[in-house]
Amino acid sequence: MEAGRRTEIPAAAPPLLDFPVDFPTGAREGKLTEILTLSKQLRVSLSDHTLYLTGGSTRHPFVALMSHPLVMDCEKEKAKLRIRAKPSLFQHVGIYSSLAGKIQNLKDKDFGKNVLHRAHNNPPAKVDTSLRTYQQYTLEKFYTGKDCFWASAPVAGDYIRFTFLNPLKVEKYLFRSGNMEHPGDKLFNTTVEVLPADEMLRKELVDNGSKFNYPATKDGYLKIGAFENGIAEGSINQSIGKIQAIRLSVNSDSPVWAILSEVLIKTSEN
């Protein structure tokens, strides 16, 4: 913990900060908070202004809230609420601190970097693919937001599949292929398919074809979209009900490798 003194907050007090957004990592500037909670933050900052410099005082109310006696795991709770925007939008300049005699060598390592992948809070899922993964750029790391997914050139019949641990009502989806360093490594002639969780519906699709506006596959998936210029996105007809899995199916051989740099699966619960 970095607070020099504990600020007492009544147990029944409303949340002090709904969420803070940090645009740099090392520097104290570039913080964003909701305007409705700003006055509460200022009151705590002013009450402890003798202990904190201007930068530190912007963090202290958040730390104080997470240090409340009823909060069991301070660091875990901070991680849930604190949002880090990447890459950093601000770089710290200058080396002299406002504290006499202190040198402040702060440099933000993320500043100016290309965004090679974008992370989202997607629902828990098991992932698998027929593609040959390149080095450490695995599908598991990609889905959990740790890195992009990179694989050798897809061929017809290849797939990438996301099977949800619990069936979900999926409202929207977004898949982005390629990135700033390898813009040509995209998915081409690839369809987005969903597997309804209702087994009776799946059997009906296999036996009689789709009653929706989506074509059905022989194994009970519905083709709901396709990649265009490396991106597949859209909304899903809610009459399909809950979905068990989403599959990206490659329909023809590709001359280039493939990168997935972003996946967003929006459900009624997130």
Side-chain angles (χ1 to χ4, degrees), residues 191 193-195 202 205-207 209-210 214-223 247 249:
T191 53
E193 304 164 353
V194 297
L195 182 67
R202 293 207 301 265
L205 291 174
V206 173
D207 294 341
S210 176
Y214 305 124
T217 66
K218 293 180 179 180
D219 55 355
Y221 280 80
L222 292 171
K223 298 180 180 180
R247 183 175 67 186
S249 292

Side-chain angles (χ1 to χ4, degrees), residues 194-240:
V194 297
L195 182 67
D198 189 331
E199 293 186 6
M200 293 297 294
L201 176 57
R202 293 207 301 265
K203 185 176 185 303
E204 182 181 341
L205 291 174
V206 173
D207 294 341
N208 305 317
S210 176
K211 65 179 180 180
F212 304 101
N213 292 326
Y214 305 124
T217 66
K218 293 180 179 180
D219 55 355
Y221 280 80
L222 292 171
K223 298 180 180 180
I224 62 171
F227 278 78
E228 295 183 11
N229 195 28
I231 299 174
E233 62 179 327
S235 301
I236 300 179
N237 188 337
Q238 294 300 290
S239 61
I240 296 175

Side-chain angles (χ1 to χ4, degrees), residues 22-71:
D22 291 349
F23 290 95
T25 52
R28 308 298 181 246
E29 57 274 347
K31 311 295 182 185
L32 174 68
T33 186
E34 282 191 316
I35 189 66
L36 295 177
T37 58
L38 186 58
S39 61
K40 298 174 184 178
Q41 178 184 1
L42 291 174
R43 284 200 295 272
V44 177
S45 298
L46 290 173
S47 68
D48 285 349
H49 73 280
T50 57
L51 293 179
Y52 297 92
L53 300 177
T54 303
S57 65
T58 62
R59 295 179 299 163
H60 175 52
F62 181 65
V63 174
L65 173 65
M66 294 298 100
S67 302
H68 189 272
L70 297 182
V71 177

Side-chain angles (χ1 to χ4, degrees), residues 32 45 63 114 152 157 161 178 208-209 254 259 261 268:
L32 174 68
S45 298
V63 174
N114 290 330
S152 54
R161 181 167 52 201
N208 305 317
S254 175
I259 286 177
S261 54
S268 58

Side-chain angles (χ1 to χ4, degrees), residues 16 40 74 80 118 149 158-159 184 192 206 221-222 261:
L16 182 62
K40 298 174 184 178
C74 174
K80 286 181 181 179
R118 293 186 181 276
F149 170 64
D158 273 334
Y159 68 88
V192 181
V206 173
Y221 280 80
L222 292 171
S261 54

